[in-house]
Amino acid sequence: MEAPEASGPSARSVAKLIDGIHTEVVVNIFSDRIFVIITQTGKMGTLLQASSDHGDVDVRVLMGRRDDPLLVVYAQQLVESLRVRTESPILL
């Protein structure tokens, strides 16, 4: 009997200049969530978890800056743009 073929997360990445700043986006899709990294410094910063439930977007800061409301706004906008494609929680 053969063992089932192991499969890991699928990943995609892209780098673009945004207002003259090198910006990298990496998306890893796991079976139970999506992990998105967006960086202009080559490092990870604040970690957010965002999910939507029937039109409401819930964003929680898991690690990092808790005093920047723009991070929550950006996360909400990203989740709303992805809502058509997934109902999985998103880590940002």
Side-chain angles (χ1 to χ4, degrees):
M1 176 183 222
E2 289 185 34
E5 185 176 320
S7 64
S10 66
R12 295 191 65 155
S13 64
V14 65
K16 298 279 184 185
L17 285 178
I18 298 177
D19 291 333
I21 301 170
H22 179 77
T23 304
E24 297 176 67
V25 178
V26 180
V27 178
N28 293 290
I29 301 174
F30 295 88
S31 62
D32 63 340
R33 66 193 65 239
I34 299 170
F35 184 38
V36 180
I37 300 170
I38 303 170
T39 183
Q40 293 181 321
T41 63
K43 302 176 190 175
M44 286 181 48
T46 301
L47 180 62
L48 305 166
Q49 178 174 309
S51 58
S52 65
D53 185 25
H54 305 258
D56 295 328
V57 177
D58 178 45
V59 178
R60 295 183 318 142
V61 177
L62 301 179
M63 179 180 73
R65 293 179 57 183
R66 298 178 186 277
D67 61 348
D68 190 347
L70 279 180
L71 292 174
V72 173
V73 171
Y74 297 148
Q76 288 172 330
Q77 290 177 346
L78 184 59
V79 168
E80 288 174 2
S81 70
L82 295 174
R83 184 179 300 157
V84 174
R85 299 181 188 160
T86 184
E87 292 296 324
S88 299
I90 299 173
L91 295 175
L92 302 162

